[in-house]
Amino acid sequence: MSLRMRLDSEAMGSGLTSQRVRDRLVERLRASGIVDERVLRAIGTVPRHLFVDEALATRAYEDTALPIGHGQTISQPWVVAKMTEALLESAPSKVLEIGTGSGYQAAVLGALGLEVHTVERIGELLRAARKRFRQLGLNIRSKHDDGHAGWAENAPFDAIMVTAGAAAIVDALVDQLAPGGMLIAPVGSAASQELLRLHKDADGQVVRQTLAPVVFVPLLPGTID
Ligand code: SAH
């Protein structure tokens, strides 16, 4: 599937939201240590300006987190790239994301040809994300739920990515990881988190590794409309 083919001229943007601006972001990410060409290509393809409010569209290709309403943010492109790069190391095909937010991270995973499942606790954000997936012709499965429970009906997953910070790794998510699978999650206090990578080996043994310091909005319990 070629995502690029499915974009109409409006989606491709103009001026400050054009392909040229997207290419410049890709070069900035490359300069800050992102090496996986597949990830750089996906970020160069997905129109991030469609994942934020129109008023913020001209800032969509800065390497910064931006507000998406409800006190939530679309992650910084470098963080999206870093997490995606780490995730691809386990060569996954079926992926679960917790914290759909704007849908941008899920769209980047979708553009990589992965089978993406994503869970969001705020109904309004999820509805907006679904509209974007449809507009871009991305086939992404999504659910309005508390991601602490993962998505048992569709488990196991080759990889799980949590895009909200928690004090500890959620056990239910580790349980839904396939042998050989990888989980990436920001863990720590509200003020300071580390991006952790957990690898589950063929015997179910789990090995942890710290990737980078990050700041994410908190993983919260329950759902809201
Ligand atoms: N991946 C998102 C970034 C979202 S910010 C993007 O690309 O835009 C984190 C998101 O996690 C928020 O939308 C927040 O509502 C959601 N979230 C927080 N706790 C959650 C939970 N328990 N289950 C599902 N989503 C949760």
Side-chain angles (χ1 to χ4, degrees):
M1 172 205 70
S2 166
L3 178 58
R4 205 169 290 225
M5 299 288 293
R6 315 243 357 197
L7 298 174
D8 56 25
S9 56
E10 183 208 353
M12 289 305 286
S14 61
L16 289 167
T17 59
S18 67
Q19 183 63 49
R20 203 155 47 85
V21 183
R22 209 147 41 240
D23 291 343
R24 229 179 283 148
L25 170 63
V26 167
E27 289 320 309
R28 201 172 317 141
L29 294 175
R30 204 192 294 276
S32 44
I34 304 301
V35 295
D36 192 317
E37 290 298 328
R38 296 167 295 176
V39 175
L40 292 167
R41 210 176 311 127
I43 288 181
T45 304
V46 178
R48 190 168 183 262
H49 66 279
L50 299 184
F51 291 80
V52 295
D53 252 24
E54 242 172 276
L56 288 171
T58 58
R59 300 194 54 202
Y61 299 103
E62 295 174 15
D63 188 16
T64 178
L66 292 169
I68 55 172
H70 300 269
Q72 307 304 318
T73 54
I74 178 172
S75 305
Q76 180 192 352
W78 184 83
V79 171
V80 170
K82 187 73 187 166
M83 289 178 87
T84 307
E85 197 171 64
L87 197 93
L88 288 183
E89 279 180 37
S90 63
S93 50
K94 186 174 161 192
V95 177
L96 172 67
E97 178 198 29
I98 304 300
T100 315
S102 68
Y104 179 69
Q105 171 72 74
V108 167
L109 295 169
L112 283 158
L114 303 177
E115 182 189 320
V116 185
H117 300 71
T118 183
V119 179
E120 170 58 53
R121 67 181 286 276
I122 302 178
E124 199 171 292
L125 289 181
L126 186 60
R127 287 191 291 277
R130 281 176 174 157
K131 229 187 251 176
R132 296 174 180 126
F133 299 152
R134 263 199 307 276
Q135 182 183 4
L136 296 174
L138 287 166
N139 181 19
I140 288 171
R141 292 168 209 198
S142 63
K143 175 160 100 140
H144 181 210
D145 204 353
D146 179 349
H148 282 95
W151 197 335
E153 300 86 336
N154 287 313
F157 299 95
D158 303 320
I160 300 178
M161 183 187 280
V162 185
T163 66
I169 296 281
V170 177
D171 287 339
L173 298 180
V174 180
D175 293 344
Q176 291 177 23
L177 207 53
M182 187 183 281
L183 180 147
I184 301 192
V187 173
S189 66
S192 109
Q193 299 142 15
E194 296 276 6
L195 197 57
L196 289 189
R197 172 158 70 179
L198 252 86
H199 186 256
K200 193 190 246 187
D201 71 17
D203 309 323
Q205 207 71 354
V206 170
V207 181
R208 291 173 173 241
Q209 188 189 356
T210 303
L211 297 181
V214 285
V215 182
F216 275 87
V217 294
L219 189 71
L220 297 172
T223 61
I224 60 175
D225 289 343

